[in-house]
Amino acid sequence: LGWAAGAELTLFGAALVVDATSFKADQTNEIGSRTLPGFISQPINRTGESERKGVEVQITLKPIQGLTVTGVYTYVDSTDADGLIEARRPKHSGGIKTAYTFLGGKAHIGVDVTYKGEDRQPDFGAASPVTFISPIVTVDDSVVVDLNGSYQLTESVKVYGVVNNLFDQESTEALGFASRPTTAYLGVKVGY
């Protein structure tokens, strides 16, 4: 059971837009897992009720023609049925997306900066061989920068490029899995 309520304020002919949303959700029978002897994982429905509540604020600026800057911040207070902070749900997250379109709309460049605050995660690799319980560890926060760009060569042909994780920042979504290193892509889109 959940709800969300928000408001949007548009100013200066849509050159500034502010969105704010508050939300809350209660969940019963949440899907989880338990570890059995031999480190076999078994899915279960957890007892009790977990709770998620928070607020998200987004601000979009269009200071000059062709330039859009969007910033978003999310605060989440998420606890399980025992009142403990839920795993993989950082309290603070957000980012800034900048996009600039020029040459009559033919060219586009963008910079995306994503922030993930510290969170708590089970360290399955350090589970006790006696109790089969994984310790909960704190995973550091991270900032990842991505670049993107494109150019419309003809009405039906567009070239584009993307650089993900420009500064090769380690970012842990799930403990034990490597973060994506710096990667670059070039491509051509053809459509009729």
Side-chain angles (χ1 to χ4, degrees), residues 8-19 59-63:
E8 179 181 291
L9 177 64
T10 302
L11 300 169
F12 311 115
L16 172 62
V17 179
V18 180
D19 290 298
I59 299 173
T60 302
L61 293 169
K62 296 181 180 178

Side-chain angles (χ1 to χ4, degrees), residues 4 16 26 29 34 43 45 55-57 65 79 88 101 123 126 128 135 150 153 156 163 171 175 182-183 191:
L16 172 62
D26 298 321
N29 296 319
R34 66 178 170 190
N45 287 100
V55 64
E56 182 171 274
V57 177
Q65 184 173 346
T79 55
R88 296 191 188 98
T101 303
D123 186 355
S128 165
S150 65
L153 286 173
S156 58
V163 178
S171 175
L175 197 63
T182 300
T183 52

Side-chain angles (χ1 to χ4, degrees), residues 1-6 21-27 49-56 75-79:
L1 179 66
W3 60 264
T21 303
S22 180
F23 57 88
K24 184 177 187 303
D26 298 321
Q27 186 172 9
E49 183 176 88
S50 63
E51 179 183 76
R52 294 173 191 93
K53 59 186 175 183
V55 64
E56 182 171 274
Y75 171 80
V76 178
D77 183 10
S78 182
T79 55

Side-chain angles (χ1 to χ4, degrees), residues 123-159:
D123 186 355
F124 297 112
S128 165
V130 177
T131 63
F132 305 105
I133 295 174
S134 301
I136 302 296
V137 298
T138 299
V139 175
D140 290 338
D141 60 351
S142 62
V143 176
V144 176
V145 178
D146 300 325
L147 304 177
N148 60 78
S150 65
Y151 183 76
Q152 193 78 40
L153 286 173
T154 69
E155 189 175 316
S156 58
V157 178
K158 179 188 280 189
V159 294

Side-chain angles (χ1 to χ4, degrees), residues 10 13 22 30 37 42 69 89 92 116 127 183 187:
T10 302
S22 180
E30 186 173 7
Q42 177 186 39
V69 180
R89 287 185 173 70
H92 308 280
K116 183 187 79 65
T183 52

